[in-house]
Amino acid sequence: MSLLTPDSGLLFWMVIVFGIVFVILAKYGFPVIIGMVDERKQYIDKSLLAAREANEQLANIKADSEMILAKAHEEQARILNEAVATRERILKEAKTQAQVEGQKLLDEAKRQVQAEKDNAISDIRRQVAVLSVDIAEKVLRKNLDDEKEQMEMIDRLLNELTVSKN
């Protein structure tokens, strides 16, 4: 008997054993493996869908924040234009009194614009913080000890983002 050509009896028993192993795997092993692969695929698909939805929400929030900032700038320009017009009208009536009144209106307009801007930024931060917490919980599956620590971490990250953008 040569080393490269097996005996017919050996070949017969190898085919029988292979058939038995294949039948056992086909009946018990393959369905379990296929089921696990399908389950994993469904989980990945759900995760991708959730990530897409989160990206869409973040894009909507970004667009809303840009719109709010644009409105704030328009309001600031309108208020500043009104303050300048008022100051010029008052200058015609009485120069000394007009300078004092114009400065008061300008300062008030700046304070009002700053307050509106601060309120808008604060509102945007709150919205981003809430979404960030939701996204962080879903994506990372990591919970911090309490809500105070979550909010401190979010404020810190937002401040870092604000500093890096400026």
Side-chain angles (χ1 to χ4, degrees), residues 89-134:
R89 185 174 31 100
I90 292 173
L91 274 175
K92 291 177 184 176
E93 294 173 3
K95 186 176 181 180
T96 308
Q97 184 180 1
Q99 288 176 346
V100 173
E101 288 295 320
Q103 189 62 38
K104 286 181 184 179
L105 287 174
L106 189 58
D107 290 343
E108 181 61 30
K110 286 181 181 179
R111 279 193 298 270
Q112 184 180 0
V113 168
Q114 185 64 35
E116 289 176 5
K117 181 179 176 183
D118 290 344
N119 287 340
I121 290 173
S122 175
D123 187 42
I124 291 169
R125 280 187 178 185
R126 275 189 236 109
Q127 291 176 1
V128 169
V130 170
L131 285 174
S132 296
V133 169
D134 290 342

Side-chain angles (χ1 to χ4, degrees), residues 41-58:
K41 181 185 178 294
Q42 290 174 357
Y43 175 75
I44 290 171
D45 290 342
K46 287 178 184 177
S47 296
L48 287 173
L49 181 62
R52 284 188 196 111
E53 289 174 0
N55 282 338
E56 289 174 7
Q57 289 176 352
L58 285 175

Side-chain angles (χ1 to χ4, degrees):
M1 189 88 220
S2 172
L3 291 175
L4 298 176
T5 57
D7 189 22
S8 63
L10 177 64
L11 188 60
F12 171 77
W13 285 112
M14 283 175 42
V15 168
I16 295 295
V17 170
F18 176 76
I20 292 171
V21 170
F22 184 77
V23 168
I24 290 172
L25 282 177
K27 185 170 184 166
Y28 298 108
F30 293 150
V32 172
I33 293 171
I34 290 172
M36 290 173 60
V37 168
D38 287 342
E39 184 179 317
R40 179 68 178 166
K41 181 185 178 294
Q42 290 174 357
Y43 175 75
I44 290 171
D45 290 342
K46 287 178 184 177
S47 296
L48 287 173
L49 181 62
R52 284 188 196 111
E53 289 174 0
N55 282 338
E56 289 174 7
Q57 289 176 352
L58 285 175
N60 290 339
I61 288 173
K62 183 178 178 183
D64 290 345
S65 66
E66 289 174 358
M67 186 174 56
I68 289 171
L69 286 175
K71 286 180 181 179
H73 287 298
E74 290 173 8
E75 183 69 15
Q76 177 184 11
R78 186 186 63 78
I79 290 172
L80 288 174
N81 288 337
E82 288 177 5
V84 169
T86 303
R87 190 186 78 203
E88 289 174 359
R89 185 174 31 100
I90 292 173
L91 274 175
K92 291 177 184 176
E93 294 173 3
K95 186 176 181 180
T96 308
Q97 184 180 1
Q99 288 176 346
V100 173
E101 288 295 320
Q103 189 62 38
K104 286 181 184 179
L105 287 174
L106 189 58
D107 290 343
E108 181 61 30
K110 286 181 181 179
R111 279 193 298 270
Q112 184 180 0
V113 168
Q114 185 64 35
E116 289 176 5
K117 181 179 176 183
D118 290 344
N119 287 340
I121 290 173
S122 175
D123 187 42
I124 291 169
R125 280 187 178 185
R126 275 189 236 109
Q127 291 176 1
V128 169
V130 170
L131 285 174
S132 296
V133 169
D134 290 342
I135 291 170
E137 286 180 357
K138 289 180 182 177
V139 174
L140 298 178
R141 304 282 187 200
K142 177 183 177 185
N143 294 325
L144 296 174
D145 290 339
D146 60 38
E147 189 172 320
K148 180 182 177 188
E149 290 180 12
Q150 292 174 358
M151 295 310 289
E152 288 175 358
M153 182 176 144
I154 289 168
D155 287 339
R156 186 189 66 203
L157 291 173
L158 286 174
N159 287 336
E160 289 175 3
L161 285 175
T162 304
V163 168
S164 68
K165 286 184 180 180
N166 289 339

